[in-house]
Amino acid sequence: MTPKVLEHLKTDEFAVKFGFISNPAAVRRLLLKSNEIADVRRALNQGEISEGSVRTFVNDLVKDFRSGEHFPHDSALSAIAVSLEYRATPFADEFINDLASLRIAELGHSVHIARECKKNRKHLSRTTTKYFILKSKPFEKNGLRFEEFIVPSNPGTLTKNYVVNDYQFGKAA
Amino acid sequence: MPSFEYFLVAESASIDQLSNRISLFHVLEEFKIPEFPFNIHKLVAVSSWNWEEGDDEVDFQSMVSVSVPGKEEPTIVTTNFQMDCERRRVLNYFFDLDLECPGELKFELLLNGESQAHHVVSVKEIDSAEL
């Protein structure tokens, strides 16, 4: 079941509130001040809804896409973009960047609003993280002796990458 | 080229998903080690860079050179990034660092090959009775 705060974004009542303004920057500002966006942000912050449920909601919206017809949930997409704008998460990046890069006539304001959001996200501090396993002593693995090596790895799959990358980055003696 | 803001080595770091604020835990100053060799399970080198005019769509490479006491050659790791934001943090986690003897554990930060900062951790041998 779609959470109430998201479901409301699909309503005509919500769409007509912002539909008459043509300037994407102005729509974004209005959305930022709206109670509906505040509710979605609060729900995300407090864990009432997850980014996963937002993704599911968006996937459901996209099912109503028809080529050559105006997309009926354009306002909802705009609202999601503005709701995610301040979040420094991979999902927020993916959603806003993907929407901002679209060039299809069926979508109206949402693409332009996503571009506004993308511009404003430049103010967010961003983080690049890399993982390395270091060994200064000779080390044996899979029958190979490694004199020294650096293994970049992902935190969740440390063991898997450790083995795979031995061959790529290690120096076999 | 982005301007350098800070460089620190700590036991761990955390970024709050909600506020996007970074916290560093236990900034490293010295290790007191009763017996060598000693294995440091995990540490993190954190650097921060500020966007400057002309940085858009340019690839930058930060390097952290790790000099371990008793070892002649430093280990160098690289991280590529773009300044698509006003401030970029680079977190380099290191696992399984072996210390063989006392001395200086030195982390040097370079950007596109130019030295920017360093962080030195003293590695001292102490009597286990002092622990």
Side-chain angles (χ1 to χ4, degrees), chain A residues 65-84:
Chain A
F65 181 86
R66 304 279 178 274
S67 183
E69 289 176 23
H70 176 71
F71 182 60
H73 306 305
D74 199 50
S75 298
L77 288 185
S78 305
I80 297 293
V82 175
S83 303
L84 293 173

Side-chain angles (χ1 to χ4, degrees), chain A residues 124-128, chain B residues 1-9 15 20-22 24 44-52 55 60 62-64 79 81-83 85-92 109-111 116-117:
Chain A
L124 282 176
S125 294
R126 312 308 295 270
T127 307
T128 302
Chain B
M1 198 147 91
S3 59
F4 167 75
E5 186 63 42
Y6 65 81
F7 177 60
L8 279 172
V9 181
I15 292 167
N20 194 31
R21 286 186 294 197
I22 186 167
L24 304 184
V44 58
V46 183
S47 56
S48 176
W49 306 95
N50 295 319
W51 180 89
E52 294 291 339
D55 284 351
F60 297 102
S62 78
M63 298 163 89
V64 177
T79 307
F81 63 90
Q82 285 200 347
M83 290 304 295
C85 47
E86 287 182 359
R87 183 186 286 256
R88 166 74 58 185
R89 309 166 183 136
V90 178
L91 271 63
N92 288 145
L109 175 71
L110 302 97
L111 182 68
Q116 303 287 327

Side-chain angles (χ1 to χ4, degrees), chain A residues 87-145:
Chain A
R87 289 177 77 86
T89 62
F91 173 68
D93 272 343
E94 180 194 327
F95 180 82
I96 291 171
N97 293 342
D98 286 357
L99 185 57
S101 68
L102 290 178
R103 290 180 193 280
I104 47 176
E106 289 83 352
L107 291 183
H109 271 128
S110 59
V111 172
H112 299 286
I113 290 169
R115 287 176 193 159
E116 285 294 317
C117 295
K118 189 177 170 181
K119 221 189 298 173
N120 281 284
R121 278 168 69 79
K122 200 171 174 189
H123 300 298
L124 282 176
S125 294
R126 312 308 295 270
T127 307
T128 302
T129 307
K130 266 183 105 172
Y131 301 83
F132 303 93
I133 298 169
L134 301 179
K135 276 279 183 190
S136 57
K137 281 167 65 174
F139 170 84
E140 279 200 14
K141 197 159 186 78
N142 294 347
L144 290 172
R145 182 178 163 83

